[in-house]
Each structure stands twice: as structure tokens, then as C-alpha cells.
Amino acid sequence: LGNGTIGGSDVPIDPDGVGIAVLAISAGQTHTCAIGIDHTVRCWGGNDYGQLGSSMGVDSAVALAVPATAGHAASVSIRGFASCAALDDGRALCWGFNGYGQAGDGSETYRTAPVLQAGTGATSLAAGGSHTCGVLGGGVWCWGYNEEGAIGTGAASLYVSTPTAIASLASGATAVAAGYDHSCAVVQGAAWCWGNNEKGQLGDGTNNNAAGPVAVAGFGSGVTAIAAGGRQTCAIRNAQAYCWGYNGNGELGNGTMVDANAPTPVSGLA
């Protein structure tokens, strides 16, 4: 919680060490990162793999600035034990757990400080279960663990440790999302997904895995935002919220607990 203690709280707490207005925030498995109004990333919580951007293994109950992002952070995305940030000058940085190459620097070594990716022109990044995707130079790039085709390039390699472009999504991308082992993007208003599709989380009307992008059924235009969960995906299209994929706990919000392999409207969010 970042309030200087390790006790739980059932009401909101202002993290110590932030102290300024916050522009964005993202939560991982044991840590949280935020961008302050000064455009610097600050992280707090668990630090087993260096995910706070400081020395590995030293947890922090207060927010710590990530020096490499100072004054330039535009977006932040964390998941599990990894952290990534896109800077306003187009640099893409990742740090923390890197056992599958998801830091994108060509290694599989845990990173206690941000490392620079090979791509340029980053506008957004999305950290997945064990992979990362980003909008770099207007196109979609992914790297890390390629289980079930989550990287989206059709590559046979299980590990892809540097950013790799998805040829069919080379321009016009505005948003990207990464789930446990699937990924999605918005390109010129259309939604595309790839990777694991066991629960229908790719939204193409099938349950077939895809090593490259497949079109989300009925979402060829009007999509403005997309988010990927563990085995489900949600998006905003024409100001309406839709979800698809796993629904065993009602996470699709459509009034049922039945999986859906194509978008279904979220009840009450029309």
C-alpha cells in the first residue's frame, strides 16, 4: 500500500513518498507503480526481482523514484513481477523479472534498473504474464515468452528477448494490451488479438489459438480502448463496454457465467 507499514487496510491510503498529484497508476502481483505530475515513475511494494527499479530483494513500504524515468514518463504498465514505462521522448524501458526476455534487452537476466529496448517511438507499453507488447513507431511490437503465440509474429521460438514487429500491424496502432498468454491491439479503430484462445479470449468466434493477429468479431471499427485479463478481454467500442473470454466468475459482466468467444455487451455500461 506504500504507507510505510505492512498492515492491510480496507479504506484508501495515500502512499508515502509520492507527495504530488498522480497522472497514472498500475498494479502488479506484489508491487505498484505510479507516474507523478512531474512525469517520474515511483514504485513500492515487493522487490524480489528488482521490479521497483532499485536493488533487488529490498522491499519498500514507501514509494521510490525510478531515476531513469525522471521527468519523462508518459505511461506505465506492470504485471506480475515486471515493470515497463514509455517515455515522452519515445524511449521504452522495462525492469524487474526477465526470466523469459520480457525486459526486451536481449537477455534473460533480472533487471534492477530500467533497460532500453531496441524499438523507438514508444507511445504505450503493456506488460503481460511473461511477455510485453508495445506501440513503437505506430506499429505493434512484442517480446518475451511466446507460449501459445503470445508474441504474435508466428515465430517458433519459445523465447523472444528483443522487441519484434508484427508485420500485419505495422502502422496505425493506438493501443495495446497483454494478458496472461494472449495479446490484443487497436489499429485504426479495429481490434485484433492473438495467442491463447482456450476460453475465447481472442474474440474471433472460435477457440483456436492464433500465432498471429486475428480480427475480433464485429470490431472492425469504433474501438477506442482495450484491456486484457488473465483469460478474458474487454474493450470500449462506440462508448459501449464489451467483454469476451473466460466467464467462470462473471468477469464478462453480461449477467451470465458462460464463456464467450465473441464480444458481449457489459450490462449497465451502454
Side-chain angles (χ1 to χ4, degrees):
L1 302 186
N3 67 336
T5 78
I6 55 172
S9 176
D10 56 7
V11 296
I13 289 175
D14 186 14
D16 296 336
V18 178
I20 56 176
V22 172
L23 302 177
I25 194 166
S26 184
Q29 186 159 329
T30 63
H31 75 298
T32 305
C33 294
I35 298 176
I37 199 169
D38 61 351
H39 292 277
T40 297
V41 174
R42 292 170 172 82
C43 299
W44 59 94
N47 198 30
D48 310 68
Y49 303 100
Q51 62 264 41
L52 301 187
S54 58
S55 59
M56 187 167 60
V58 181
D59 299 345
S60 179
V62 298
L64 302 176
V66 181
T69 69
H72 291 286
S75 68
V76 63
S77 177
I78 68 177
R79 196 177 190 124
F81 306 105
S83 310
C84 292
L87 306 190
D88 58 11
D89 59 5
R91 287 179 291 162
L93 302 175
C94 291
W95 61 96
F97 186 79
N98 190 35
Y100 305 109
Q102 60 265 52
D105 68 336
S107 78
E108 294 170 16
T109 302
Y110 304 157
R111 294 301 183 185
T112 60
V115 291
L116 183 67
Q117 277 66 61
T120 59
T123 56
S124 66
L125 297 173
S130 298
H131 69 291
T132 309
C133 291
V135 178
L136 306 179
V140 179
W141 299 59
C142 294
W143 57 96
Y145 195 36
N146 196 31
E147 183 181 25
E148 312 297 353
I151 302 303
T153 63
S157 175
L158 189 58
Y159 302 145
V160 180
S161 60
T162 57
T164 304
I166 299 177
S168 61
L169 304 180
S171 63
T174 55
V176 67
Y180 180 73
D181 52 9
H182 79 290
S183 312
C184 298
V186 178
V187 179
Q188 296 180 341
W192 301 82
C193 294
W194 56 95
N196 192 330
N197 197 27
E198 179 184 3
K199 300 296 182 179
Q201 59 263 45
L202 302 189
D204 66 339
T206 78
N207 289 79
N208 302 323
N209 296 346
V214 295
V216 176
F219 273 39
S221 64
V223 182
T224 55
I226 198 160
R231 290 286 189 270
Q232 84 276 15
T233 309
C234 294
I236 298 173
R237 179 176 183 267
N238 296 331
Q240 162 75 55
Y242 294 82
C243 293
W244 57 95
Y246 182 66
N247 198 29
N249 302 107
E251 44 266 84
L252 301 190
N254 62 358
T256 78
M257 291 190 181
V258 179
D259 298 347
N261 59 18
T264 63
V266 177
S267 302
L269 293 180

